[in-house]
Amino acid sequence: MTQEQLILQERPNGLPDENTFQFKKAEIGKPSEEELLLKTLYVSVDPYMRGRMSDGPSYAAPFEVGEPLKGAAVSQVVESNSSNFEKGDLVTGTLDFQEYNVVKNDKVRKVTTKGMSPSSALSVLGMPALTAYFGMMHIGEPKKGETVVVSGAAGAVGQIAGQLAKKEGARVVGIVGSEKKAAYITETLGLDAAVEYKKGNVSEQLKETCPDGIDVYYENVGGEISDVVWPLLNVFARVPVCGAISAYNLEEGEKDIGLRVQQFLIKSRVKMQGLLVGDFADHYDEAYQALEEAVSNGELKFEETIQEGFHSIPDAFLGLFSGDNIGKQLVKVADAE
Ligand code: NDP
């Protein structure tokens, strides 16, 4: 029995291209004691994976050239040699990007989707939503009446972050890359206003939509967008720095240079804090409970953009950098049995 794998063929310089990825055939493994054979149903493509394609020092180990890419996935147990799992169980974990995986039973956890699609374990009840929760609730700490700006506001993290701030009674403005996304965040998610950065003059758009300045800036994108946010921050503003996607595909030697922020941070006594979702592992139960509750009572809406078929993974991944996705970008590899 053979299967398809997605291999890192070579490390990209700048934006990944067709030479970065390669599909290969491989044998499907056999599970030993305490192991499971899993069939991949959904994989998540995430911006941080770009960092793992390079070999510079980072918080996550680089992918190996010639080896499968890895990422969050939802799979179904096909064969179980563990008393903790039965054939048919849905599980999630960080798995190789291939159609089947053999893993030790402690590498995955059961998916409890509460009537939702199993894909929700990768979106509204998965890592991006946890990230939004900790960044907004533990670092941003929005208060009633404050103005919150979220960049990447229609994406996997942004769509949740904006709604969480709204739930706290803040006025929320989202920065997005298209008219369709602007309509999504205002009409579907209920945010107060949208700034479309591709239309230009982001500073003016922000001044218009944030007449009282900005109290929380949830940073997902970095670059020129952030440069125009710094001067608008209010005294004691908070800035959870979650991501800087605009800089992920810099070419070798290219530098991410922008406005120097010190003067703004001092003047406004801003608290700016980098965030890594894994640092909050001790609080995951709190976040899951809050997210599940908000979804079930209709307070938290979310979108998933799902491409079909294992071979669409590279395309789905690259689409993150051109803004193709609304909400969480996923790839459906197979149906559950
Ligand atoms: P998204 O679903 O938001 O997808 C990426 C989006 O970023 C695109 O849809 C696009 O939207 C926007 N984008 C792409 N390129 C640019 C650019 N050059 N300038 C401005 N916007 C751009 O991804 P996620 O929600 O998964 O991730 C959002 C951010 O959060 C990323 O930076 C990611 O690395 C980070 N992250 C950090 C984590 C942590 O623990 N710190 C965990 C998870 C994510 P548009 O059309 O609006 O441009």
Side-chain angles (χ1 to χ4, degrees):
M1 285 276 282
T2 60
Q3 61 167 334
E4 289 277 316
Q5 292 181 317
L6 179 59
I7 303 289
L8 179 66
Q9 180 169 246
E10 64 176 42
R11 299 199 187 281
N13 179 15
L15 190 67
D17 60 21
E18 67 277 7
N19 297 320
T20 310
F21 307 101
Q22 187 192 13
F23 289 97
K24 256 191 176 171
K25 293 244 183 267
E27 293 285 312
I28 298 176
K30 277 221 130 300
S32 311
E33 223 171 283
E34 300 305 323
E35 287 188 335
L36 311 166
L37 173 63
L38 306 175
K39 178 182 169 188
T40 309
L41 305 183
Y42 291 93
V43 302
S44 171
V45 287
D46 292 88
Y48 81 91
M49 292 170 61
R50 173 62 187 85
R52 300 192 70 183
M53 291 173 192
S54 300
D55 59 1
S58 184
Y59 57 85
F63 295 133
E64 297 291 338
V65 173
E67 294 293 321
L69 301 179
K70 298 174 200 307
V74 166
S75 296
Q76 187 168 35
V77 177
V78 176
E79 208 179 314
S80 171
N81 289 334
S82 157
S83 54
N84 299 337
F85 293 91
E86 285 177 17
K87 185 174 176 200
D89 281 349
L90 297 179
V91 296
T92 184
T94 300
L95 300 173
D96 285 354
F97 277 8
Q98 50 193 28
E99 289 174 295
Y100 291 86
N101 276 277
V102 172
V103 298
K104 270 261 179 288
N105 60 5
D106 60 355
K107 290 282 174 237
V108 291
R109 64 177 172 82
K110 280 187 198 169
V111 166
T112 47
T113 51
K114 309 235 157 97
M116 292 195 285
S117 158
S119 60
S120 60
L122 302 173
S123 63
V124 72
L125 298 179
M127 183 279 280
L130 292 178
T131 308
Y133 180 87
F134 294 117
M136 189 55 84
M137 304 307 290
H138 285 223
I139 300 175
E141 298 186 287
K143 317 249 175 336
K144 195 170 174 350
E146 286 189 329
T147 300
V148 174
V149 172
V150 179
S151 55
V157 173
Q159 65 175 350
I160 307 296
Q163 290 180 91
L164 290 175
K166 211 49 219 152
K167 208 159 141 353
E168 295 303 301
R171 205 173 154 274
V172 184
V173 176
I175 305 178
V176 292
S178 71
E179 210 173 314
K180 192 170 164 199
K181 291 185 180 186
Y184 170 61
I185 64 166
T186 51
E187 290 164 23
T188 307
L189 305 184
L191 304 196
D192 296 280
V195 165
E196 285 179 53
Y197 72 90
K198 288 182 182 165
K199 282 190 171 165
N201 218 344
V202 180
S203 178
E204 281 313 306
Q205 290 192 63
L206 277 171
K207 281 181 198 155
E208 261 170 44
T209 50
C210 306
D212 299 326
I214 298 169
D215 299 295
V216 178
Y217 173 52
Y218 194 105
E219 169 73 290
N220 277 322
V221 304
E224 289 174 9
I225 292 174
S226 307
D227 281 351
V228 299
V229 169
W230 311 134
L232 303 179
L233 292 172
N234 287 336
V235 170
F236 297 123
R238 285 84 64 203
V239 181
V241 183
C242 172
I245 193 168
S246 66
Y248 292 178
N249 290 305
L250 294 181
E251 292 185 6
E252 225 176 294
E254 215 181 333
K255 290 205 164 66
D256 182 24
I257 298 172
L259 195 67
R260 292 193 172 142
V261 295
Q262 290 85 336
Q263 52 171 326
F264 301 107
L265 304 193
I266 294 164
K267 194 178 72 188
S268 301
R269 285 87 88 203
V270 171
K271 185 173 104 178
M272 192 175 188
Q273 187 180 329
L275 123 95
L276 204 56
V277 61
D279 294 343
F280 294 87
D282 289 349
H283 299 273
Y284 281 179
D285 286 347
E286 162 201 328
Y288 279 126
Q289 200 183 332
L291 293 163
E292 278 173 18
E293 216 173 279
V295 174
S296 67
N297 65 24
E299 282 179 314
L300 198 57
K301 302 200 171 56
F302 67 101
E303 194 65 60
E304 294 170 348
T305 298
I306 302 182
Q307 289 214 37
E308 296 274 338
F310 191 72
H311 280 250
S312 66
I313 297 174
D315 188 51
F317 173 70
L318 290 175
L320 295 170
F321 301 101
S322 42
D324 294 354
N325 61 306
I326 292 197
K328 180 73 197 102
Q329 180 67 59
L330 299 169
V331 174
K332 184 173 177 187
V333 175
D335 284 315
E337 278 161 23

